[in-house]
């Protein structure tokens, strides 16, 4: 009975097949990363409400009506400028809304900068506080959006506020 000339599997695979296997594994890894990132954002079940016109988070707190459910106010503690990599003391004040939790997401408006979610701690009287940080920016001035998500039972309400961040590079 003749024996095969090539019994070592590593020798019998052509280099192109190895390259295709590596490419496929890389593609699957990227797809899983994207799917995980998308599912962690979890904004599909949020009822979104617009912010009040003329709001500038760099100048102070901004407000948004939550329909008939009350309102929320977001303050990033900015003193004229919001800079990348600086700690932001965040405060959300809810009026007419009892919430179990409040989180603030920072999202790059023009480019995917990943998920930057900061849960806030209840302090009473509808006030939630915490700290957040804008990651390093790839541009001198970069547009961002702060999304506030309020959870009350099975229902989630939210609003977003646009602002610009200056790079901390000099």
């Amino acid at each position: 009975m003749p024996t095969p000339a090539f019994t070592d599997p590593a020798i019998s695979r052509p280099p192109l097949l190895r390259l295709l296997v590596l490419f496929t594994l890389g593609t699957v890894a990227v797809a899983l990363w994207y799917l995980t990132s998308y599912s962690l954002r979890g904004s599909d079940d949020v009822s979104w409400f617009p912010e009040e016109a003329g709001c500038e988070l760099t100048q102070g707190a901004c407000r948004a009506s939550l329909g008939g459910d009350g309102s929320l106010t977001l303050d990033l503690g900015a003193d004229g400028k919001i800079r990348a990599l600086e700690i932001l003391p965040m405060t959300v004040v809810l009026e007419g809304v009892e919430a179990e939790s409040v989180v603030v997401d920072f999202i790059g408006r023009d480019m995917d900068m990943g998920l930057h979610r900061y849960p806030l701690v209840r302090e009473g009287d509808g006030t939630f506080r915490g700290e957040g940080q804008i990651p390093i920016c790839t541009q001198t001035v970069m547009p961002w959006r702060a999304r506030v998500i309020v959870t009350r039972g099975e229902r989630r309400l939210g609003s977003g506020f646009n602002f610009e961040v200056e790079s901390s590079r000099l």
Side-chain angles (χ1 to χ4, degrees):
M1 173 177 217
T3 59
F6 298 106
T7 56
D8 186 6
I11 296 174
S12 65
R13 289 193 185 124
L16 183 58
L17 181 61
R18 288 185 196 157
L19 182 64
L20 289 174
V21 167
L22 288 175
F23 178 75
T24 302
L25 289 174
T27 303
V28 168
V30 168
L32 287 174
W33 171 82
Y34 180 78
L35 181 63
T36 302
S37 174
Y38 182 78
S39 66
L40 284 176
R41 292 176 196 248
S43 63
D44 290 342
D45 62 340
V46 177
S47 298
W48 293 104
F49 296 91
E51 73 274 14
E52 290 184 349
C55 170
E56 289 291 331
L57 279 173
T58 56
Q59 303 305 315
C62 289
R63 187 175 185 277
S65 173
L66 298 176
D69 293 312
S71 66
L72 70 82
T73 304
L74 171 65
D75 188 355
L76 295 182
D79 191 19
K81 291 183 182 178
I82 298 175
R83 293 190 181 273
L85 302 176
E86 290 184 0
I87 301 297
L88 297 171
M90 300 183 295
T91 304
V92 171
V93 178
L94 302 175
E95 295 176 20
V97 179
E98 288 294 323
E100 295 167 10
S101 67
V102 174
V103 296
V104 176
D105 292 344
F106 292 131
I107 297 176
R109 289 194 325 238
D110 292 343
M111 109 180 32
D112 184 2
M113 296 296 289
L115 179 65
H116 306 281
R117 176 169 285 173
Y118 300 96
L120 304 184
V121 176
R122 179 194 322 260
E123 289 194 348
D125 267 355
T127 302
F128 292 78
R129 293 188 197 280
E131 291 183 336
Q133 182 181 41
I134 303 295
I136 194 160
C137 294
T138 58
Q139 302 167 0
T140 306
V141 177
M142 194 165 171
W144 285 82
R145 185 161 180 84
R147 295 190 321 179
V148 180
I149 302 172
V150 177
T151 302
R152 51 183 301 205
E154 296 295 317
R155 204 160 165 224
R156 292 172 35 162
L157 309 169
S159 187
F161 304 91
N162 293 333
F163 62 99
E164 291 186 344
V165 172
E166 293 184 14
S167 177
S168 54
R169 295 178 282 167
L170 296 176

